[in-house]
Amino acid sequence: MMKKLRHLSLILLLLPSLPFSALAEEGASAAPSFVYYTMQPEITTNYITSGAKVGFINVKVQLMLEDPTLEATVAYHQGLLRDALINIISKEPETNIKSMAGREALREKCLTQLNALLEAETKQIIIKDLLFTKYLYQ
C-alpha cells in the first residue's frame, strides 16, 4: 500500500512538468470560433388559423455563424432576412406553429431560405444554424 502511495505521489509531482499547456494551446486554436448574431427586434407576426380567431407568434431568432468576421455581412442584410422570416412564419398553419415537429420543420425551412438568400447576395453560405431562443404563440 505504501509503495502505491509513493508511486502516486511521484506521478503527482511530475505532472506539472509535462507539456500539457502546449497541447491545450494547440487544441484551443483548432476549435471553431462560432458567433451568435441576435436579430433585433424580435419578430411578431400572425399565422394562419382555422375560424375567425387571429393567431400571433413572437420569436427571437439567433443565427449561428461559423466565422465571426461575417457578422457585419449579416447585419447589413438583416432587413432582407427579417422580411424572409416574416413571410415564412406568416404562411404557416396553426398546427405547425403549435407542434414540436412543426416548429422544427419551420426552423429548418427558415435556415434553408436565409442561406439561399445570403448565397445569392454574397456567393457564400454564412449561417451554420438558426435558433429560436424565444417562441411564444397565442
Side-chain angles (χ1 to χ4, degrees), residues 48-120:
I48 299 172
T49 61
S50 57
K53 67 178 183 171
V54 178
F56 291 97
I57 183 168
N58 178 270
V59 292
K60 186 174 188 178
V61 178
Q62 286 193 334
L63 306 174
M64 185 171 78
L65 313 174
E66 208 165 336
D67 186 1
T69 61
L70 297 172
E71 194 171 4
T73 304
V74 172
Y76 180 77
H77 293 289
Q78 182 171 335
L80 175 69
L81 301 178
R82 285 182 60 78
D83 180 59
L85 287 170
I86 291 168
N87 283 331
I88 294 167
I89 294 169
S90 66
K91 293 176 183 172
E92 287 295 310
E94 183 175 14
T95 55
N96 287 358
I97 294 291
K98 293 185 176 182
S99 72
M100 288 303 289
R103 179 178 172 173
E104 179 62 21
L106 176 63
R107 187 193 69 78
E108 290 175 3
K109 187 187 299 184
C110 290
L111 175 63
T112 303
Q113 183 65 32
L114 295 187
N115 267 330
L117 288 170
L118 285 173
E119 187 174 15

